[in-house]
Amino acid sequence: MIEGIDLSQVNWARAQFALTAMYHWIFVPLTLGLSFLCAFFETFYVKTGKEEWKKLTRFWMALFAVNFAIGVATGLILEFEFGTNWSNYSWMVGDIFGAPLAIEGILAFFLEATFFAVMFFGWDRVSRGFHLFSTWMVAIGSNLSALWILVANGWMQHPVGMAFNPDTARFEMKNFFDVILSPVAISKFCHSTSSGFLLASLFVISISSWFLLKNRHQEMAKRSIIVASVFGLVSSGFVGLTGDEAAYTCARVQPMKLAAFEGLYNGEDSAGLVAMGLLNSTKEAGDGQQPFIVEMKIPGMLSLLANRQPGSFVPGIEDILYGNEEHGIMGIDKKISKGRIAIEQLALYKKAKDNGNKLGAQTAMDGFRENEQYLGFGYLKEAKEAVPPVPLTFYSFHLMVALGSLFPLIFLLFLVLTARNLIESQRWLLGIGLVSFLLGEIAGQAGWVVAEVGRQPWTIQNMLPVTVARTNLTVGAVQTTFLMFLVLFTVLLIAEVRIMLSQISKGPEEV
Amino acid sequence: MFATLEYSQFQSLWWLICSIVGSLFLFLTFVQGGQTLLYSVARNEVEKSLIINSIGRKWELTYTTLVLFGGALFASFPLFYATSFGGAYWVWMLILFCFIIQAVSYEYRKKTGNFLGARTYEFFLFINGSVSLLLIGTAVATFYSGSNFSLNEYNQVTWQNPLRGVEAAFSPFNLSLGCFLVFMARVLGAMYLTNNIDYPELNARTAKAALTNFIISLPFLLYFLVSLLVMDGFAVDPVTGTVFMEANKYLHNLLALPRVMFMLLSGLSLVIFAVFMTSFRQSKKGIWFGGLGTILVGLTVFLLPALNNTAFYPSKYDLQSSLTIHNASSSLYTLTAMTYVALLIPVVLAYVAYVWHAMDSKKLTVAEITGEEAEELY
């Protein structure tokens, strides 16, 4: 199996980014949601003045802090990895991509960093109201930072508000608001943050279930469950709606990703949505084999999801790869040849400009502009490179959706049974609640695999493939830093889990 | 609002903004200084806890300022970001490594089940406080001494030394700035702890540490400054953009930029005054004068190699690959848009200052760190 993997430098760099991002996404969604849950708990304390709410708040806050630290550590690496491992990318799109990162620092990180200290050490140093305000600021700051980084990611998935400048040979921003209000950015932000709220709710339910199974801290656990299951239920609805929106935009701007996560090789009218399926592992585009060994489809559902029109056509991988005249889709081969012309004309333009040949420069420029939108394709060696890994994308998507459909049910059962004070006798449900957090983590990771693996080979959709975006480094250098981070992050993860378990088993202080 | 500004003015403005953020970071390295003082100033566990809890309330500000420094450079000078981070790969990776281990150490050090033990996390803090600043200092010194890279026609970087940035740490000039930063951070750390902790025995020791570390830092500072004034610098022809070596370039820059010269001299005077007040007058206000002084000196360090037609990220290997604030910057549109966002920086500074005051008006005492809620502290 190892022989099948291309261990080139660019893939090691991708692996390193994936490693950092996946570790980061273990902790960050929990920070996003738990910060709001802590703010809710503290608001109840301030409103009621009851000490038990304060103890409860402090218990969850302590777990929040342990998790927060490692999220900060992995986040730092992500920001700088753009420069260290993807320096060509950083130069080519830094004019657009750098801005959200800088704004994230100014608008969000300082809110978190400043008010975090008040949240943890300010109980006796500032007024009750100011403390509550600080807790809310940490929650808002954390989620604002998610906004900016997801704007940046959304732009990579759907580059808007920019133009290629042939004189500097880079992409430059033309409209700031197009970048930050891009529909992909907005749906990405909403989907990711609400999935964070959902995960944090599962976290609270999971630990509270453990207390109930152990017959400890029952009152605190039930209070926590009520708040978390309401928050989780609302978030689940939001995750579903924004997920639907994300699929709709994906069909518009990344049809290949949509085809990959549905395992749709041949496009069709009234396309069905795969509810369950086992892919044929030897299937490749254009080989005529059946894509599935077994499948169960909901008829017409994919057309509805992708186009919001029953019966409409959804292109498959082969339509996009080889072109489909009937539906006006240009094949990748043709895009590659146009892209190569753009690259050639760009080089001619630079040469003519350096030689002071104005007419030659103008002609080359015209030739470039005509083919500019296919520039990225010119860097692909062959058309099949434009197809992302189908099995990984397909299974991740279906795992995410299956788990995402289960969570609202869990929240509803917990809410109803706790409200009726019957939860403690439902040991089976508490067992499910206990493992639900792990399932939430898996769903979140799977979601990012769909988003990022599904857009391969592009760093920036249709503009810049990963092979061009990389830094000129040796494989050994990237392997070494990959291993450094793997060992360090794993050690820190073990430390985090052990500290959390020890804090949980100690439990909150009894009032 | 900014329509009257020209592109080159935006480029200078953004270099100034980045320099301010970088200088604020240098001031906030009192956190790193405090971390390395842990071994030399604290005599027992209680004193250690006092120090860690005192700087532990500020470490995130330093960290965030560093992240913002990186982000602001990325947004405003993307070619520098790409060239330096992608080129000087190892030095940046080592610096990042030092900051990962810092981020968890405060939170995990005292917690049950922390896997590595409190001593390891304290050692992590020491590494962060010393190695990271040493490397950052050597990296900043290359703004004057140059690096080994070339850029192709598409501005893609090739680093010409296999050590990829770490080679900078073998130059006495670069190293002297690195060592100065490490000891200056300890001076600031000592002054901050003197201000922030109410514990006379420890206060006496931190006040003394401010003086000792300042004296140790002086030879490094002098070596750096003297070298700077006599060395050849990377000058840029403003008409053609050609980079060439000019004798005493940085001395010329100082003379041509009287405001920068004033910042350097007043900054150094403020630091000396702060150390004197702390060590000989038992004043607790040293950190404020020392902090302001550090910011002014920091501004000099960042402005001097960039203004007055100078290449701020020069290449020794290929002079014409050198970066200036004009050839490395973002587009006019992006710089303008970012300038509107930067109007919020004073608001951020205001709430940071307000919270700092609200949290620190009551000094940290032994009673607080041994009280009934001490378990939740660092």
Side-chain angles (χ1 to χ4, degrees):
Chain A
M1 189 180 159
I2 295 285
E3 307 86 67
I5 301 173
D6 174 14
L7 297 171
S8 59
Q9 183 250 326
V10 69
N11 279 348
W12 274 104
R14 285 178 56 206
Q16 188 173 322
F17 204 89
L19 171 85
T20 323
M22 288 176 92
Y23 265 96
H24 192 56
W25 200 251
I26 295 175
F27 316 109
V28 167
L30 202 50
T31 298
L32 296 181
L34 210 48
S35 61
F36 271 120
L37 280 163
C38 287
F40 296 153
F41 294 141
E42 193 177 338
T43 306
F44 289 127
Y45 160 60
V46 173
K47 286 271 173 209
T48 61
K50 286 184 178 166
E51 271 306 295
E52 51 263 43
W53 277 112
K54 185 179 179 186
K55 300 281 181 202
L56 186 153
T57 307
R58 292 186 78 148
F59 172 72
W60 293 112
M61 251 183 211
L63 296 178
F64 170 82
V66 176
N67 181 67
F68 185 82
I70 191 162
V72 171
T74 46
L76 176 81
I77 306 308
L78 276 183
E79 172 174 344
F80 288 99
E81 258 176 33
F82 291 119
T84 54
N85 289 351
W86 304 98
S87 65
N88 293 346
Y89 164 83
S90 293
W91 158 241
M92 286 187 79
V93 302
D95 194 60
I96 308 139
F97 190 82
L101 290 196
I103 298 173
E104 184 182 24
I106 297 171
L107 295 187
F109 288 160
F110 276 99
L111 271 182
E112 288 180 82
T114 309
F115 290 102
F116 184 90
V118 184
M119 190 171 161
F120 286 90
F121 308 108
W123 288 103
D124 300 322
R125 286 179 176 260
V126 297
S127 70
R128 206 188 269 195
F130 189 71
H131 192 278
L132 177 64
F133 173 77
S134 302
T135 307
W136 276 100
M137 283 301 115
V138 170
I140 291 168
S142 310
N143 283 275
L144 267 183
S145 69
L147 170 69
W148 293 104
I149 193 66
L150 292 166
V151 161
N153 182 277
W155 182 83
M156 295 166 84
Q157 313 270 353
H158 179 46
V160 286
M162 51 98 207
F164 188 80
N165 180 346
D167 292 316
T168 51
R170 67 170 176 183
F171 296 94
E172 293 180 356
M173 188 161 17
K174 292 291 164 207
N175 192 324
F176 180 70
F177 294 100
D178 280 356
V179 174
I180 62 168
L181 299 174
S182 141
V184 178
I186 302 291
S187 84
K188 227 169 207 337
F189 169 68
C190 295
H191 195 57
S192 305
T193 45
S194 52
S195 78
F197 301 161
L198 190 158
L199 183 77
S201 306
L202 290 175
F203 178 75
V204 171
I205 285 195
S206 179
I207 293 166
S208 303
S209 297
W210 185 77
F211 283 136
L212 292 179
L213 283 167
K214 292 276 172 193
N215 298 321
R216 292 174 55 193
H217 311 294
Q218 289 96 327
E219 279 316 302
M220 169 265 176
K222 283 189 274 184
R223 278 172 200 262
S224 301
I225 286 175
I226 291 279
V227 178
S229 54
V230 170
F231 190 46
L233 203 54
V234 174
S235 308
S236 301
F238 211 60
V239 168
L241 285 174
T242 52
D244 174 63
E245 182 64 29
Y248 178 71
T249 8
C250 183
R252 317 261 86 62
V253 300
Q254 296 174 303
M256 183 65 100
K257 185 197 275 184
L258 183 96
F261 70 60
E262 266 304 299
L264 182 71
Y265 280 84
N266 293 303
E268 52 195 24
D269 293 324
S270 200
L273 185 75
V274 180
M276 259 187 264
L278 191 61
L279 286 171
N280 172 359
S281 60
T282 59
K283 167 75 186 167
E284 277 192 36
D287 67 1
Q289 287 193 65
Q290 285 298 320
F292 288 95
I293 295 170
V294 278
E295 63 184 318
M296 209 172 85
K297 280 190 172 178
I298 309 169
M301 195 62 190
L302 184 60
S303 291
L304 201 61
L305 190 80
N307 302 324
R308 295 187 180 155
Q309 272 178 351
S312 61
F313 178 78
V314 181
I317 292 169
E318 293 181 8
D319 301 280
I320 303 166
L321 189 57
Y322 304 119
N324 182 328
E325 272 184 38
E326 189 191 336
H327 291 280
I329 301 169
M330 186 192 289
I332 302 288
D333 269 329
K334 203 164 177 188
K335 288 182 179 172
I336 289 178
S337 40
K338 282 176 176 286
R340 286 179 185 162
I341 296 173
I343 294 170
E344 260 170 42
Q345 295 296 319
L346 183 63
L348 287 176
Y349 169 77
K350 281 189 100 62
K351 209 170 161 186
K353 210 180 101 190
D354 290 346
N355 297 335
N357 175 358
K358 279 191 180 166
L359 184 67
Q362 189 54 50
T363 316
M365 182 50 23
D366 294 343
F368 171 76
R369 290 291 181 208
E370 210 174 290
N371 298 288
E372 184 186 353
Q373 57 173 311
Y374 305 105
L375 181 70
F377 289 92
Y379 297 108
L380 299 183
K381 286 197 186 76
E382 52 170 349
K384 278 192 179 169
E385 276 182 41
V387 183
V390 176
L392 186 56
T393 318
F394 172 84
Y395 289 119
S396 301
F397 175 73
H398 287 85
L399 183 62
M400 172 188 75
V401 173
L403 289 171
S405 317
L406 176 71
F407 299 140
L409 199 64
I410 295 178
F411 290 127
L412 193 63
L413 283 170
F414 267 91
L415 179 62
V416 172
L417 291 170
T418 312
R420 292 184 174 181
N421 212 8
L422 296 170
I423 190 76
E424 280 163 274
S425 55
Q426 309 298 320
R427 318 273 306 169
W428 63 274
L429 183 62
L430 294 174
I432 294 174
L434 184 63
V435 296
S436 66
F437 171 62
L438 196 60
L439 299 178
E441 283 283 6
I442 293 170
Q445 297 285 343
W448 275 108
V449 170
V450 177
E452 300 304 301
V453 176
R455 71 161 143 134
Q456 290 307 314
W458 304 109
T459 312
I460 301 163
Q461 187 71 34
N462 298 352
M463 295 286 170
L464 190 70
V466 284
T467 44
V468 183
R470 70 190 185 95
T471 303
N472 184 6
L473 285 166
T474 61
V475 184
V478 188
Q479 282 171 332
T480 312
T481 46
F482 175 88
L483 286 173
M484 265 167 64
F485 290 137
L486 178 66
V487 171
L488 185 62
F489 290 156
T490 307
V491 167
L492 296 184
L493 177 67
I494 295 171
E496 190 212 330
V497 172
R498 286 176 45 129
I499 293 171
M500 277 218 182
L501 290 177
S502 135
Q503 303 231 26
I504 293 163
S505 82
K506 230 183 280 169
E509 276 179 66
E510 292 291 353
V511 181
Chain B
M1 186 159 135
F2 300 113
T4 53
L5 285 185
E6 284 176 21
Y7 191 19
S8 64
Q9 289 173 308
F10 273 111
Q11 290 162 329
S12 302
L13 174 68
W14 268 92
W15 186 258
L16 178 67
I17 292 174
C18 292
S19 300
I20 292 172
V21 177
S23 306
L24 285 170
F25 167 74
L26 293 181
F27 159 50
L28 292 167
T29 57
F30 68 75
V31 167
Q32 273 66 25
Q35 287 168 193
T36 59
L37 284 172
L38 198 59
Y39 286 115
S40 46
V41 172
R43 296 272 158 85
N44 52 46
E45 283 305 311
V46 173
E47 293 183 359
K48 247 187 211 173
S49 285
L50 274 171
I51 293 176
I52 295 227
N53 276 290
S54 173
I55 50 176
R57 289 160 201 206
K58 299 289 181 290
W59 78 266
E60 280 182 81
L61 278 182
T62 313
Y63 203 91
T64 304
T65 309
L66 178 68
V67 173
L68 178 61
F69 187 45
L73 284 169
F74 192 6
S76 48
F77 299 96
L79 188 56
F80 164 71
Y81 187 86
T83 306
S84 182
F85 284 89
Y89 187 76
W90 280 115
V91 81
W92 289 117
M93 279 295 180
L94 290 175
I95 291 170
L96 291 178
F97 206 79
C98 293
F99 278 91
I100 304 176
I101 57 179
Q102 184 205 24
V104 292
S105 292
Y106 286 99
E107 188 62 44
Y108 291 5
R109 187 181 75 101
K110 285 280 270 264
K111 299 281 189 301
T112 321
N114 67 10
F115 190 47
L116 301 172
R119 297 288 163 270
T120 310
Y121 291 105
E122 284 163 19
F123 182 64
F124 282 175
L125 291 178
F126 181 81
I127 295 285
N128 171 264
S130 51
V131 180
S132 75
L133 289 188
L134 186 80
L135 293 175
I136 287 176
T138 59
V140 171
T142 63
F143 285 14
Y144 296 94
S145 59
S147 305
N148 304 288
F149 65 87
S150 60
L151 298 179
N152 69 10
E153 57 177 327
Y154 295 107
N155 282 327
Q156 293 166 336
V157 60
T158 305
W159 204 260
Q160 304 292 347
N161 187 307
L163 292 175
R164 296 200 79 120
V166 178
E167 73 275 9
F170 300 114
S171 133
F173 172 77
N174 297 341
L175 208 51
S176 64
L177 185 62
C179 292
F180 175 67
L181 284 196
V182 173
F183 288 104
M184 194 57 219
R186 286 167 65 91
V187 174
L188 291 168
M191 292 195 288
Y192 168 79
L193 293 172
T194 310
N195 172 280
N196 198 248
I197 297 174
D198 185 10
Y199 188 66
E201 252 182 76
L202 191 61
N203 293 151
R205 260 177 271 140
T206 50
K208 197 173 151 221
L211 180 65
T212 324
N213 283 286
F214 182 66
I215 292 170
I216 299 173
S217 78
L218 278 179
F220 297 112
L221 175 67
L222 289 176
Y223 181 82
F224 179 77
L225 281 180
V226 172
S227 309
L228 189 71
L229 298 178
V230 298
M231 74 200 286
D232 295 351
F234 296 83
V236 187
D237 183 319
V239 181
T240 61
T242 312
V243 180
F244 60 97
M245 297 309 292
E246 181 184 317
N248 304 101
K249 171 67 180 159
Y250 303 112
L251 175 62
H252 294 162
N253 281 4
L254 260 186
L255 296 173
L257 303 162
R259 277 180 286 191
V260 176
M261 170 108 89
F262 174 75
M263 282 194 254
L264 177 66
L265 296 177
S266 56
L268 288 174
S269 311
L270 278 170
V271 171
I272 294 168
F273 176 67
V275 173
F276 177 80
M277 294 256 294
T278 308
S279 306
F280 298 110
R281 290 281 178 272
Q282 283 78 47
S283 166
K284 289 189 172 255
K285 297 202 161 53
I287 183 64
W288 304 121
F289 295 103
L292 182 61
T294 307
I295 292 171
L296 291 171
V297 174
L299 278 171
T300 315
V301 170
F302 290 115
L303 294 177
L304 203 59
L307 302 182
N308 197 37
N309 302 316
T310 317
F312 77 88
Y313 198 63
S315 168
K316 294 187 282 191
Y317 177 83
D318 169 29
L319 280 187
Q320 303 319 318
S321 288
S322 300
L323 306 186
T324 68
I325 58 172
H326 303 299
N327 69 16
S329 90
S330 279
S331 65
L332 175 61
Y333 182 91
T334 298
L335 291 183
T336 313
M338 289 293 302
T339 306
Y340 283 101
V341 177
L343 290 174
L344 288 167
I345 292 180
V347 178
V348 175
L349 288 174
Y351 74 69
V352 170
Y354 177 77
V355 169
W356 190 314
H357 176 74
M359 287 291 288
D360 287 12
S361 50
K362 205 165 89 186
K363 300 298 164 194
L364 193 64
T365 59
V366 175
E368 189 172 338
I369 58 157
T370 49
E372 58 179 84
E373 278 165 357
E375 213 175 286
E376 290 176 17
L377 300 179
Y378 289 147

